[in-house]
Amino acid sequence: MPVIEVTELRKSYGGRTVVDGVSFAVEEGEIFGILGPNGAGKTTTVECVEGLRVPDAGRVRVTGLDPVADHARVARVLGAQLQQSELQPKLTVREALELYASFYPSPLDWAPLAERLGLTAKLTTRFGKLSGGQKQRLFIALALIGNPRVVVLDELTTGLDPRARRDTWALIEDVRASGVTVLLVTHFMEEAQRLCDRIAVIDKGRVAALDTPAGLIRRSAGATVISFTPSAPLDDRDLAVLPALASVEHKDGRITLSGTDETVNAVITLLARHRITAHQLRVVDATLDDAFLDLTKADTKEEAA
């Protein structure tokens, strides 16, 4: 049985539908990502999973339990770091850890947890004096202190500098390695591509796609981009018949093609056949950004139609 099951979830505010039939399942031991633009319905979806909001329709289960009807039991198996979290500024790290540990019948020993998250040297530091990265580490500790089976992390690295963000990514990987299932909400493509086993792309309250990062990238119109400046003109008719070609762009004498590995091989053969040299040749694989833009662009075209 999946750790989390969401089926046909719907939620509206003031007559405006925010979540419109979202369905997905999270398997034990994976990092499952929810990706999408701001306002797509990501946070509302996970707040229903956490039992913080009551769905208008649909079904949500966490380890087989209803987050609303069985809220107390779900709170013992699910840890959460909310999108917007604050503590009393004068509360020290030690006091916060001791306070949250007192909420659970069998909490983790907070001292090794603090050591693992690099907080031992900050135990006497007040929350208001912590850096952004240190606060995020503390919130991860507070989400894990109840020894949960699954942890929800919502926009965990927003506002962090690149170094702090990568340090936090390493922490999330450590959390999964310890056996905890992670539901990660983000709008950072690089973060999702690095961390997630599978990703649900939510756009306008609906699941636009659900796949592995590599699977989503393969859906991109041009999974590979090749660009070069030819030493002699190329006939557009030769380019147009290249296999798996998604697009062709000419700019300042440079040609940019998007397609697949098959397209790249065909371009190289074409250049060799015409004895044309490709100056400043670049071949770049598509990223999750490209796949995401293609998915949301397709959705926009459907709405216009």
Side-chain angles (χ1 to χ4, degrees), residues 3-300:
V3 175
I4 298 174
E5 292 180 281
V6 177
T7 307
E8 289 297 316
L9 179 67
R10 286 179 167 80
K11 183 68 179 177
S12 299
Y13 301 113
R16 183 174 66 91
T17 300
V18 177
V19 179
D20 187 12
V22 166
S23 299
F24 61 85
V26 181
E27 301 297 331
E28 187 164 10
E30 73 175 338
I31 299 179
F32 186 93
I34 296 182
L35 179 67
N38 291 329
K42 306 186 303 296
T43 294
T44 296
T45 297
V46 298
E47 286 178 345
C48 290
V49 171
E50 295 160 340
L52 299 177
R53 295 193 184 276
V54 180
D56 296 334
R59 182 176 185 270
V60 180
R61 292 293 182 269
V62 178
T63 64
L65 302 171
D66 185 324
V68 177
D70 305 309
H71 188 72
R73 295 170 66 190
V74 169
R76 295 186 180 183
V77 297
L78 183 145
Q81 173 270 327
L82 305 180
Q83 186 181 56
Q84 295 181 334
S85 303
E86 285 294 328
L87 296 176
Q88 209 280 335
K90 293 186 178 181
L91 197 69
T92 66
V93 171
R94 180 192 298 272
E95 290 169 340
L97 292 168
E98 290 176 343
L99 175 64
Y100 274 66
S102 71
F103 297 156
Y104 300 95
S106 302
L108 293 176
D109 184 348
W110 63 260
L113 183 61
E115 178 68 29
R116 174 180 163 202
L117 293 172
L119 292 170
T120 302
K122 297 293 181 179
L123 290 177
T124 59
T125 302
R126 299 186 189 278
F127 178 80
K129 297 294 185 181
L130 296 176
S131 69
Q134 291 162 352
K135 288 179 180 179
Q136 296 295 51
R137 288 170 181 266
L138 176 57
F139 287 129
I140 293 175
L142 298 181
L144 294 174
I145 205 163
N147 196 22
R149 286 181 59 187
V150 57
V151 62
V152 179
L153 305 174
D154 191 354
E155 304 288 7
L156 183 66
T157 60
T158 298
L160 298 186
D161 62 61
R163 182 177 298 279
R165 183 174 297 139
R166 279 169 170 73
D167 289 344
T168 303
W169 292 349
L171 290 176
I172 295 171
E173 291 170 330
D174 288 346
V175 168
R176 194 265 291 274
S178 70
V180 179
T181 302
V182 178
L183 179 59
L184 176 68
V185 184
T186 183
H187 62 259
F188 290 119
M189 308 297 169
E190 183 185 1
E191 181 168 286
Q193 186 168 348
R194 167 172 167 168
L195 295 176
C196 298
D197 298 298
R198 292 186 300 134
I199 297 169
V201 178
I202 296 182
D203 188 31
K204 300 177 180 66
R206 293 171 291 178
V207 176
L210 198 165
D211 208 333
T212 63
L216 290 173
I217 291 170
R218 282 194 296 270
R219 298 187 188 195
S220 177
T224 303
V225 176
I226 178 171
S227 60
F228 58 93
T229 301
S231 60
L234 270 171
D235 193 325
D236 279 349
R237 290 173 297 182
D238 290 332
L239 296 175
V241 296
L242 290 172
L245 182 69
S247 65
V248 181
E249 179 183 345
H250 296 268
K251 186 176 181 180
D252 299 329
R254 191 165 179 81
I255 299 174
T256 301
L257 310 169
S258 60
T260 66
D261 289 343
E262 187 180 4
T263 313
V264 175
N265 293 332
V267 168
I268 293 172
T269 301
L270 175 65
L271 292 172
R273 185 168 67 245
H274 291 283
R275 299 179 182 273
I276 294 175
T277 301
H279 298 292
Q280 297 178 315
L281 177 66
R282 299 286 185 273
V283 179
V284 181
D285 289 333
T287 66
L288 201 55
D289 287 272
D290 301 307
F292 179 75
L293 290 173
D294 282 342
L295 286 167
T296 55
K297 182 167 54 180
D299 191 49
T300 300

